Amino acid sequence: MNTALRSSVQTGLAGREAAGRRQPCVPRTSRSSLRPVATLAAPPPASTPSHAPQVAPTASQPSKLDLTELTAVSPLDGRYGRMTAPLRSIFSEYGLIRFRILVECRWLQQLSRIPAVKEVPPFSAEANAILDRLCTPEGCTPEVAMRVKAIERTTNHDVKAVEYVLKEHFKSHPELAAVLEFTHFACTSEDINNLSHALMLKEAVHGHVLPTMDKLISELGRLSSEFAAVPMLSRTHGQTASPTTMGKEMAVFAYRLKRQRDQLAAVPFLGKMGGAVGNYNAHISAYPEVEWQAVAQEFVPSLGLEFNPYVTQIEPHDYIAELYSAIIRFNNIVIDFDRDVWGYISLGYFRQKTIAGEVGSSTMPHKVNPIDFENSEGNLGLANAVMDHMINKLPISRWQRDLTDSTVLRNLGVGIGHAMLAYGAALKGISKLQIDTVRLAADLDNSWEVLAEPIQTVMRRYGVPEPYEKLKAFTRGQRVTQESMRSFVDGLEDLPTEAKEALKELTPANYIGNAVQQAANLKHHL
């Protein structure tokens, strides 16, 4: 790249970055085609030799694209936007502002209920109705959030912008206008933020994550029941092993997931309202006669959260680490499931329902790829990576606080968004599964060597010397058939006749232990 072109491109990028800092909301502009990078260069100076490459003069900056699902940087809002749309009202900038306004309004209402705070008398039904409405999505609309963002461009402080917007609303109502300066009274920004984040997470987990986890567990329970008695060759270390049933293997995953789901549901959502460093300093200076920690201990649970009595400027975020840890454990089990089912499809144990018009390969027309389980696995990896960073970062803050958590907390919904995509993909994949009992039976019939285990175990019972070694020599590296296995059993002179007959009744398909019963009993554990 020549010097003039490099300088022009760098100037253009710097200008766009500066504009991005000044204007967080991308403005809507007219649509036009993006020009090639080379056209961003200024005309060469007059001293440029005539033989140097000439670049046509153009505008110094490409037009900006409107933010849509097609132009979004993150696939959560782009390619997968339709699937993650339910999370937008929770984890978006609008969602955060909505919860901040809720907390501010509820705190003002709390102050009105404290007898010692005479300057904020009990609110009338009309005043409470105004505050209550602002606590709802109908009252706190995206237009209200846009006004907050407009003020933030001046304040350069998002929580203060919320306070100013509320004051604008309150000025038109005499009762609220009289207590205007008690908006955000004695609060540090983190009093508002930590409660907002907890409310966001609680709504997402209980409204979306847990119900979707329950659907996945339910579907695995259905597979366990449906395939309870379908025998299947096991594989340990990738090699043939003692048979099981497909239903029992699905039961293993359902039970594992249920345990982690229940641990997630048990994680408390903590909150604080303790002021700048958690000691109620400002509160006590204004109203020393009020027991402010008791007020906070009443206020935080009134929001549906659990009060944390020992905090600094921030709620320490330990519960968020616990929350994401439970989700990661759930996700790891789903990854294990995705990979196993992917393998079963590869072995032909499952076929996938075809969908008209769907293409598996751009060059191989026959292919029906296990893309849903692959999508699930990939998104779970992304979810775990984001949440793992939060687990390790958020509980650590220098002294009474630093700001390293602030930008990280703006990504609370990213890991959950990828996890929700993954659960949806796994559910879609499950809905396409069709078991191939013929293929399963053929695999079992080609694996008579797996009966070496019960035969040598019965030999041990009746005192036959070196049973393991005898079966090892007979089966290892050898082609074993039904006939050769029965011939081996007939040659065991030290075994009682009834034991021989019982062994000869065994087949790879019926040597499944209590797998059917385990699958049937799953309902008692879910």
Side-chain angles (χ1 to χ4, degrees):
M1 183 184 291
N2 63 44
T3 303
L5 176 58
R6 183 182 299 110
S7 174
S8 179
V9 171
Q10 290 173 342
T11 300
L13 291 175
R16 289 196 295 279
E17 289 173 357
R21 289 193 294 271
R22 292 192 300 269
Q23 181 83 4
C25 296
V26 179
R28 301 183 69 83
T29 61
S30 60
R31 300 179 185 271
S32 62
S33 301
L34 291 178
R35 299 180 178 88
V37 173
T39 65
L40 299 178
S47 58
T48 302
S50 59
H51 61 271
Q54 301 295 304
V55 182
T58 67
S60 61
Q61 183 173 318
S63 63
K64 293 180 180 178
L65 293 172
D66 290 339
L67 181 59
T68 67
E69 289 188 6
L70 186 63
T71 60
V73 172
S74 168
L76 288 177
D77 291 314
R79 182 178 181 87
Y80 305 123
R82 289 177 294 105
M83 289 171 274
T84 59
L87 298 178
R88 288 179 182 170
S89 65
I90 301 172
F91 289 119
S92 63
E93 185 79 354
Y94 160 69
L96 178 56
I97 290 170
R98 177 168 69 88
F99 284 109
R100 282 170 170 163
I101 286 177
L102 182 153
V103 174
E104 293 277 15
C105 290
R106 293 304 186 208
W107 179 240
L108 188 57
Q109 289 174 313
Q110 179 74 25
L111 294 175
S112 76
R113 292 192 290 268
I114 302 173
V117 184
K118 296 182 175 60
E119 292 75 11
V120 187
F123 288 137
S124 66
E126 182 183 356
N128 275 317
I130 291 171
L131 294 170
D132 289 344
R133 180 168 174 77
L134 281 168
C135 293
T136 67
E138 293 75 27
C140 182
T141 62
E143 288 71 28
V144 173
M146 288 173 66
R147 177 59 183 156
V148 172
K149 296 304 292 183
I151 292 178
E152 185 188 341
R153 286 195 284 274
T154 299
T155 63
N156 200 30
H157 194 289
D158 48 4
V159 176
K160 201 66 178 175
V162 168
E163 177 188 341
Y164 287 161
V165 167
L166 285 173
K167 286 180 176 178
E168 286 181 350
H169 277 71
F170 297 163
K171 283 179 181 177
S172 61
H173 189 277
E175 191 175 348
L176 295 174
V179 297
L180 214 59
E181 294 308 324
F182 282 85
T183 307
H184 199 70
F185 176 78
C187 294
T188 182
S189 296
E190 273 306 298
D191 286 331
I192 308 304
N193 283 337
N194 89 94
L195 295 172
S196 299
H197 292 142
L199 290 170
M200 292 164 72
L201 286 168
K202 184 174 183 180
E203 183 170 318
V205 169
H206 288 281
H208 300 278
V209 178
L210 287 172
T212 307
M213 287 180 169
D214 288 339
K215 287 180 185 176
L216 192 51
I217 294 167
S218 176
E219 279 299 285
L220 289 175
R222 178 184 64 80
L223 294 182
S224 176
S225 175
E226 187 174 339
F227 305 141
V230 177
M232 179 182 80
L233 186 67
S234 293
R235 280 177 166 80
T236 58
H237 312 281
Q239 309 302 307
T240 58
S242 301
T244 181
T245 72
M246 182 64 80
K248 182 263 176 178
E249 299 311 304
M250 295 297 105
V252 171
F253 286 114
Y255 178 74
R256 293 173 65 193
L257 290 174
K258 180 63 162 56
R259 288 190 65 250
Q260 301 309 319
R261 178 261 181 228
D262 289 347
Q263 290 181 42
L264 171 63
V267 174
F269 296 83
L270 301 184
K272 55 88 71 171
M273 198 68 176
V277 292
N279 301 333
Y280 308 92
N281 306 48
H283 308 66
I284 293 170
S285 68
Y287 294 95
E289 68 275 24
V290 176
E291 181 52 60
W292 284 104
Q293 182 158 335
V295 171
Q297 194 164 354
E298 175 186 323
F299 175 66
V300 173
S302 75
L303 299 175
L305 306 174
E306 186 171 312
F307 177 68
N308 187 342
Y310 290 98
V311 298
T312 58
Q313 185 171 109
I314 63 172
E315 196 290 320
H317 309 317
D318 297 331
Y319 84 89
I320 300 179
E322 295 166 11
L323 189 82
Y324 284 148
S325 178
I327 295 175
I328 285 177
R329 294 195 301 274
F330 186 96
N331 289 354
N332 285 337
I333 297 168
V334 179
I335 290 174
D336 196 20
F337 167 77
D338 288 337
R339 291 177 178 176
D340 273 16
V341 175
W342 187 97
Y344 294 145
I345 292 170
S346 179
L347 291 171
Y349 291 179
F350 284 119
R351 289 177 282 107
Q352 298 176 96
K353 296 176 185 175
T354 57
I355 298 176
E358 198 170 85
V359 175
S361 167
S362 62
T363 187
M364 293 174 279
H366 69 282
K367 296 193 76 178
V368 183
N369 295 327
I371 56 174
D372 299 306
F373 299 105
E374 292 169 340
N375 179 287
S376 176
E377 181 182 341
N379 273 294
L380 289 170
L382 285 168
N384 287 359
V386 173
M387 290 189 287
D388 185 64
H389 175 65
M390 292 190 170
I391 288 169
N392 289 295
K393 192 275 145 296
L394 290 178
I396 300 171
S397 182
R398 295 172 183 87
W399 294 337
Q400 282 65 54
R401 95 143 309 168
D402 64 44
L403 267 178
T404 54
D405 66 332
S406 180
T407 190
V408 174
L409 285 164
R410 292 186 182 277
N411 294 276
L412 281 179
V414 174
I416 289 177
H418 282 289
M420 292 294 289
L421 283 175
Y423 305 155
L427 284 165
K428 184 178 179 181
I430 290 171
S431 72
K432 296 179 182 178
L433 292 179
Q434 294 178 312
I435 200 160
D436 190 335
T437 55
V438 174
R439 183 63 176 266
L440 284 159
D443 217 11
L444 286 163
D445 199 45
N446 288 327
S447 304
W448 282 83
E449 66 274 9
V450 298
L451 296 184
E453 179 190 46
I455 293 171
Q456 62 95 9
T457 303
V458 172
M459 291 168 65
R460 289 174 187 273
R461 175 187 173 181
Y462 290 103
V464 178
E466 298 183 327
Y468 180 89
E469 289 71 21
K470 286 183 171 66
L471 266 299
K472 177 182 174 182
F474 171 60
T475 61
R476 200 171 190 187
Q478 307 296 318
R479 169 68 176 153
V480 179
T481 65
Q482 180 178 14
E483 292 72 22
S484 64
M485 184 63 78
R486 288 183 173 178
S487 178
F488 177 85
V489 171
D490 282 332
L492 296 173
E493 297 179 356
D494 296 330
L495 278 186
T497 301
E498 61 273 16
K500 288 184 180 182
E501 293 305 313
L503 287 175
K504 287 193 291 184
E505 290 298 315
L506 283 179
T507 70
N510 65 26
Y511 179 55
I512 55 175
N514 73 339
V516 176
Q517 183 180 348
Q518 286 194 48
N521 288 340
L522 175 65
K523 60 181 180 289
H524 301 303
H525 300 281
L526 297 184

